[in-house]
Amino acid sequence: MKITFVGGWATSAQQYPRLAASARFLIPFTGFAPTQLCGVIAEGGDVLVGWSTGAHMLLKDCRNLFSGYDRVVLIAPFLSFTDSFPKRLIRGMIAGMENDPAAVVRSFHENCGETDIPDYNPDQTVQLVAGLDFLNSSRIEIDGKFSCPNLTLVHAAEDRIVRRKAFDKVAGIVQNSVIMDIAGGHKISETKLMSIIKG
């Protein structure tokens, strides 16, 4: 099975080692620039998965490529990150990255429900700040609705990062998609993630 996974802000392969070993594992900002994503995934495959920021990027710029995959799974997608994560908190994270970036990233992972915090790479600070700037301003503007029958939208009940109201805005514009509600926080377990991917 050819799987392409697009992670979120501060994603690390340490979070999903089995997936990282078996799939094309793409990380925004530290691994690619937002403008590069469509070209990177254009070849298609069996399953395309976007998590959080990755889901947002795919939905914003690459939805015309969804038909090139048998299945597309967007976990914790949002039209605008600020629909559930206030701009003042993003600005606070940006300010914190100047003084103690490791602490900012660690706190974010903790709020995601992460139990095994991945290692912080100080060489990625500039890219992660650019990612926060992106999240502070990026918004998906779609007139009306669009149909995507091979799309599954996933939301975890205890997600403190992308709250239900933000997820529902996405669900409200996509017709013929499957809505999957699961238990857990923003960072779902690898076991659950692999189960969703395998369908």
Side-chain angles (χ1 to χ4, degrees):
M1 181 182 290
K2 186 178 179 182
I3 303 167
T4 298
F5 175 83
V6 187
W9 186 80
T11 291
S12 165
Q14 287 180 259
Q15 294 175 286
Y16 293 121
R18 285 170 51 207
L19 183 63
S22 61
R24 191 176 192 191
F25 198 92
L26 306 174
I27 303 175
F29 313 116
T30 59
F32 67 88
T35 55
Q36 297 174 314
L37 182 56
C38 291
V40 171
I41 69 161
E43 64 191 54
D46 296 312
V47 184
L48 174 63
V49 183
W51 173 35
S52 192
T53 298
H56 172 79
M57 289 177 167
L58 289 171
L59 189 60
K60 181 179 182 181
D61 297 320
C62 308
R63 57 184 181 274
N64 62 306
L65 300 174
F66 287 0
S67 60
Y69 292 82
D70 294 336
R71 294 177 57 231
V72 178
V73 180
L74 300 183
I75 302 166
F78 51 84
L79 300 182
S80 172
F81 193 56
T82 58
D83 285 340
S84 59
F85 204 88
K87 285 193 173 189
R88 61 179 174 78
L89 294 182
I90 300 174
R91 289 194 294 266
M93 290 175 69
I94 292 171
M97 292 292 286
E98 295 182 5
N99 301 315
D100 194 349
V104 172
V105 175
R106 181 178 186 84
S107 176
F108 178 77
H109 283 304
E110 289 171 348
N111 284 326
C112 289
E114 185 72 69
T115 55
D116 187 14
I117 307 296
D119 299 329
Y120 175 70
N121 181 352
D123 293 335
Q124 297 179 344
T125 300
V126 172
Q127 294 95 323
L128 290 176
V129 171
L132 291 171
D133 285 331
F134 172 88
L135 288 169
N136 203 33
S137 60
S138 181
R139 175 173 291 276
I140 298 173
E141 302 286 354
I142 298 176
D143 293 329
K145 298 183 179 183
F146 71 97
S147 178
C148 194
N150 66 334
L151 176 61
T152 299
L153 302 175
V154 182
H155 186 261
E158 290 82 43
D159 192 335
R160 297 172 56 188
I161 304 298
V162 177
R163 299 185 185 274
R164 185 74 201 200
K165 65 178 182 178
F167 175 84
D168 286 343
K169 287 185 177 182
V170 175
I173 65 169
V174 184
Q175 295 177 324
N176 301 317
S177 64
V178 175
I179 306 297
M180 183 180 296
D181 295 306
I182 61 173
H186 187 66
K187 193 268 181 181
I188 64 176
S189 71
E190 184 164 52
T191 299
K192 184 62 178 177
L193 177 59
M194 297 302 287
S195 174
I196 292 171
I197 290 172
K198 292 176 181 177

